[in-house]
Structures are given as C-alpha cells and as structure tokens.
Amino acid sequence: MENFTMHNPTSLHFGRNVTDDLGKTIAQYGKKILLVYGKGSIKKNGIYDQVMEQLKQIGVEVFEYSGIKPNPITEDVDAAAEIGKKHNVDVVLAVGGGSVIDSAKIIALTIPCEHSAWRIMINLAKPEKAIPLVSVLTLAATGTEMNPFAVLQNVQTHKKIGYGNPLIYPKHSFLDPAFTFSVSREYTAYGIVDLIAHALENYFGKGDASLSDRFVFAIVREAMDYGPALLDDLQDYDLRARIMYAATSALNGLTAYGRVSGDWGVHDLGHILSLLFDSPHGATLSVVYPAWLKLMKDRTPERISELGKAVFNVNGADRTILALEGFFKSLGSPVRMEGLGIPQNKKKEIIDMMVQNKVNGAHHKIEKEDIETVVGLMFAKAQTE
Ligand code: NZQ
Ligand code: ZN
C-alpha cells in the first residue's frame, strides 16, 4: 500500500431539508454572492426559489450567471468571473450538477487573479488563492461536490480536460436527495454509470490497496442493487439518497487512498466523444468501459476477474465484461456508438482526435493501435449472452 494523506476539507450536508441552513452558512463568507447555475432546471423545479429565499433572509447582494451548459466551456467561466471581479464578490454559490459546480470551481479561482480559465486549466498559471465556493448539488453523478477536480472544454483548441487543485474543494456542499427528484430517467442512468466508472477508474489504477478495492466493490454493488429500482421510481427519496451518497463516495478519495494513482483512460477516451458530439458524460462511459475492458482483458485478466467475482459473482474476464455491459444496457445507457447516435463514418475523425489529444491512462498505457482497436470495439455489433 502507498503512503497517503487523508484530508477532505469539504463539509458535506446530506439529507432532507439540509438547505434550510444554506443562508446561515453562506453568511459567514460575506455579503456579495455570485450565484451560478445552468440552463434553467432549477427555475422549473423550485430549487432557485428556495435558494433565493435563503439568500433573502441573510440580506446579501446576489449577482447571477446562468446558462452553464452540460459539458461546460471556458467562455462561460471567463464571462462569469468577469461579473465576479466587477462586483468584488465574496463567495461563489453553485446550484446544479457537475457542469455547474465544475465551472464554479474555476470561476472561484479566476476571480482573484489576472489569468483566463484555460491558462489555469493547462497549468500555465498557478493561482495562489480562490474565493470560497459553496455548492448545492442537484444531480448525483460526478462527485465534484466533495473533490478538488473540475473538467472543462475549450472549443477553440478542441480539448476537454480535467484539472485538480486543493483550493477548489467546495467549503460546503448541500445534498438533499429530494433535489434530484426532477432529474430525468436518462440522466439518472448516466449518473449511475458515472459513479460506477469513477470507482472502476480507481480500481484499475496503480498500486495495491485491498481496502480501497473493497470500497469499490461496495459502491458498485450499491449502484447495482438500488439503481434499477430508482429508475422504476424516480421519486423514491430513499433510493435517490442511496445513489447520491454512492456517487459522492466514488470520487471523494475513499476509493483512491493507498494507490499510486487511478487510471482514468476511460474518461480520457469518453471526453473526446463529448467534445466532438456533445454526448452526455455518463453515456460516453457506458460505451467506452466495455470496449476498454476488452482491450485490457489479456493485459490484466486477474484484476478484471476479481472484479467479476466480487460484484457480479461470475468467473473470468469475458463474463465480467459481459455482465458490466449488460448492466449498463439494462439501465438504458448506450453501450455502442450507435446508441450515442454516432455513425460509422465518424470513426476516423474520432481516432484522429483521440491521437491528437494524446488520450491515455495513468496506469494502463494506450498506444495509437490501441485507440484504433478500442474505437473499433465501440462501433462493433453488441454481443448477447
Ligand atoms: O442546465 P441545467 O438546467 O442545470 O440542467 C442539467 C443538464 O441539462 C440537468 N439537471 C441537473 N440537475 C437537475 C437537472 N434536470 C432536472 N432536475 C435536476 N435536479 O441535467 C443535465 C446534465 O447536467 P450536468 O451538470 O452536465 O451533469 P453531470 O452532473 O453529470 O455533470 C457532467 C460534467 O461533469 C464532468 C463531466 O465531464 C461533465 O462535464 N465531470 C466532473 C468530474 C469532477 N469534477 O470530479 C468527474 C466526472 O468524471 C466528470 O468528468
Ligand atoms: Zn465521470
């Protein structure tokens, strides 16, 4: 097992009506708030009104930036940071899913410095401070509510990349499972895929950490036991809560401690599909993961089999891959390019973009020939048992 430091500075407030304390929590950071949200779901489901009521009670000045898109872009981050600078805001409040919170993280870093969001993302600028960030999560998937990562897209340079910096842990994150009642069946399924993928990226990373492996198995089992039931009843509070907690736990450090690193090759490949076709993040992962495992099955057969035994009760790498693919399919998440609406004639463009972006895993290396193989597998005819 590798050495590690366990420190997660985010206070996570989880459960029914936790946002009743949002106002008093925000009040300790100042009087001027930059509220960041997406394309309007929070106005339809009433969350916006609840948040505004909290802010009204503490008498703060609120500046808004809305319209953050799924697969968020740096232009929005820079534009929001301008508003923050102009009004000298004290705190950023993100209300939304991963795209909104990730954007808010980089907004919080960009406001107190003279650099653009992208210069920060590609490490050309090294900000020394961030203004405090508070989040209200409305979609269970990414784990961003309790981690130091953000993923943004640069449409000019054709890149979608992740960035990590301890300064961007949210100070507080509020998770009321009832706030996810209005998430569509589709996005609920993509969130379940995403949380499983995060646990697996860590599992297939480098280093031997048996307890972290067991956390991975437990999280995947939780998703398998309660995910399908949730898709049958999107308004079930208890099921929403179980999936929400699993999603946070998959990427808040728990599955990573004691390893050198996670792998993240599957995410790297998936980001290219989002970049080119604006595909939802979780949907790209249910297509990429089975293909990546097929590529890796002769390179790390024992590891894949161990996963299969622990979570699907099957023997061997082939059966494990089939079981994972079958589970994704049962959720209604695509497992081939066709399901993402990506036609065969895009194959070359995809491969070229993956090569250009040097997609790779931190542990299991991917060569150019591997990219061709893995993309071929994503276009292959779906297997049936
Ligand atoms: O635009 P709004 O109105 O917010 O609507 C969103 C969006 O259309 C909607 N939605 C969110 N909460 C809702 C809701 N609709 C109804 N009711 C609610 N309560 O759902 C759609 C998708 O939202 P988005 O935020 O894009 O989804 P998600 O949370 O899956 O975030 C995806 C982004 O996170 C990045 C991904 O790459 C992608 O850009 N990731 C971030 C990570 C991190 N920071 O640690 C790790 C992940 O691997 C991932 O890469
Ligand atoms: Zn992800």
Side-chain angles (χ1 to χ4, degrees), residues 113-169:
C113 76
E114 295 307 316
H115 299 285
S116 67
W118 193 246
R119 277 181 68 81
I120 295 171
M121 294 284 294
I122 60 173
N123 290 310
L124 279 181
K126 304 230 180 301
E128 280 163 14
K129 58 181 175 187
I131 64 168
L133 166 69
V134 174
S135 86
V136 175
L137 183 68
T138 66
L139 194 162
T142 62
T144 187
E145 63 277 9
M146 204 181 190
N147 74 36
F149 310 120
V151 184
L152 287 183
Q153 200 163 297
N154 184 324
V155 280
Q156 255 83 51
T157 61
H158 301 297
K159 293 215 166 0
K160 179 171 183 178
I161 58 167
Y163 170 82
N165 185 334
L167 291 171
I168 59 176
Y169 275 104

Side-chain angles (χ1 to χ4, degrees), residues 242-296:
R242 286 170 202 257
I243 294 299
M244 199 172 204
Y245 182 35
T248 302
S249 307
L251 198 53
N252 68 353
L254 193 67
T255 58
Y257 297 121
R259 307 188 203 279
V260 181
S261 70
D263 187 70
W264 300 100
V266 170
H267 271 68
D268 233 17
L269 291 157
H271 287 337
I272 300 298
L273 304 180
S274 294
L275 187 68
L276 288 172
F277 309 103
D278 210 17
S279 308
H281 175 62
T284 68
L285 300 174
S286 55
V287 174
V288 181
Y289 237 117
W292 183 89
L293 285 167
K294 285 171 199 165
L295 177 73
M296 294 299 162

